[in-house]
Amino acid sequence: HDDQHGTAIVCLAGLINALKISEKDISKIKIVCNGAGAAGIACMKLIQVYGAKKENCYICDTNGVIYPGRSKGMNDFKASLANDTVTKDTTLEEVCADADVLIGVSVAGAFTEACLKALAPNP
C-alpha cells in the first residue's frame, strides 16, 4: 500500500503549496481526479480528510465521472467517492469545466487542450 499512500501524501503536499500560492481555500475549490485506481482513490480520500468538500470532488475512470447509480465499471471503493451532484454520464472533458485542480493518476495525455482551456481562472 505504500505506493498508493505515498502518492496521496505527495499529491496533498503539492496541493497545500498550490493553495497557498493561489490563495484559494480547499473547502471552496473544484477538484477533478482522473484515475480511480488505488492511487486516485487514496488521493481523493486524503484530500477530503484535509478539508475538500465531497460535493466539490470528482473522480473519473475510463467510463467518465463516478456518480451514485452508475453501474458500468463500478466497485465499492469507487462508489465511496461517487459525487452526488452528478446524475448522468459525464465525461472527463465536461467535468473539467471550472475546475481549480486536476490530478492525473492514469494514462498520459488524458487531459486534452479542451480540458485545460475550460479550467477556472488561476488554476
Side-chain angles (χ1 to χ4, degrees), residues 39-58:
I41 290 169
C43 288
M44 293 304 275
K45 286 189 174 211
L46 186 59
I47 287 168
Q48 288 177 15
V49 167
Y50 187 73
K53 292 186 178 178
K54 186 173 181 177
E55 63 267 22
N56 295 338
C57 294
Y58 303 82

Side-chain angles (χ1 to χ4, degrees), residues 33-120:
C33 178
N34 186 51
I41 290 169
C43 288
M44 293 304 275
K45 286 189 174 211
L46 186 59
I47 287 168
Q48 288 177 15
V49 167
Y50 187 73
K53 292 186 178 178
K54 186 173 181 177
E55 63 267 22
N56 295 338
C57 294
Y58 303 82
I59 189 164
C60 300
D61 64 8
T62 56
N63 297 302
V65 177
I66 294 170
Y67 63 92
R70 194 186 94 175
S71 59
K72 189 173 183 185
M74 291 297 291
N75 62 45
D76 291 342
F77 300 105
K78 291 179 183 182
S80 72
L81 289 170
N83 187 305
D84 294 336
T85 68
V86 180
T87 58
K88 64 182 180 74
D89 289 345
T90 305
T91 67
L92 172 63
E93 191 171 299
E94 291 169 329
V95 78
C96 282
D98 297 318
D100 298 285
V101 175
L102 297 181
I103 299 168
V105 286
S106 184
V107 299
F111 295 119
T112 63
E113 184 176 346
C115 287
L116 300 178
K117 285 184 175 182
L119 295 175

